[in-house]
Amino acid sequence: QVRLMESGGGSVQAGGSLRLSCEAFGFTFSTYRMYWLRQAPGKGFEWVSTIAERTHTTLYADSVRGRATISRDDAKNTVYLEMNSLKPEDTAMYYCAAHTSLLPTRYINDRTWYKYWGQGIQVTVSP
């Protein structure tokens, strides 16, 4: 059964750090591009970062570039998102997702385009 299981969320003060993990089950993880997205209260989904299969090339949204690092361990079927210098505006439910390719910009914030999607984990950043 396909599953993406996020962990590592929680509450942190502004300026702090968190490392999110997402373990994949039921599909060939190493052949998928992995994504992190988030949804703040009352807002739509926002793409955060992606890491390619094979090359492990990374991309970041402007809102997190320089503060976030995405990585993956294909031997552990796990993708990570480390975030530093957290801000209250980073407060959101964070989701990992998997797709077979790089989604075009016009689809990247639409969860219906992703092949697999996790259940999400809450990150709360207090001032």
Side-chain angles (χ1 to χ4, degrees):
Q1 184 178 0
V2 172
R3 198 157 42 110
L4 292 171
M5 184 177 295
E6 298 96 338
S7 61
S11 297
V12 64
Q13 287 191 318
S17 301
L18 276 177
R19 188 194 197 203
L20 305 181
S21 301
C22 172
E23 187 174 5
F25 301 87
F27 64 98
T28 308
F29 177 81
S30 62
T31 66
Y32 279 74
R33 184 174 294 258
M34 297 302 297
Y35 296 77
W36 285 98
L37 296 94
R38 65 186 181 185
Q39 186 176 32
K43 296 188 177 180
F45 290 102
E46 177 193 14
W47 168 75
V48 175
S49 183
T50 186
I51 184 166
E53 68 281 20
R54 293 189 298 278
T55 65
H56 294 188
T57 301
T58 59
L59 294 170
Y60 297 95
D62 289 344
S63 57
V64 302
R65 187 174 293 112
R67 300 188 297 120
T69 302
I70 189 172
S71 60
R72 62 190 294 163
D73 185 338
D74 290 346
K76 295 182 178 179
N77 291 346
T78 301
V79 60
Y80 305 96
L81 183 70
E82 183 164 357
M83 294 193 67
N84 303 306
S85 302
L86 283 160
K87 305 174 182 179
E89 50 264 45
D90 293 317
T91 294
M93 186 74 80
Y94 283 72
Y95 298 87
C96 71
H99 199 66
T100 52
S101 61
L102 179 62
L103 283 168
T105 301
R106 62 187 180 274
Y107 301 138
I108 207 164
N109 291 325
D110 184 347
R111 67 174 293 175
T112 64
W113 282 92
Y114 289 86
K115 185 99 181 259
Y116 305 124
W117 189 268
Q119 84 284 354
I121 194 158
Q122 180 68 37
V123 171
T124 302
V125 184
S126 55

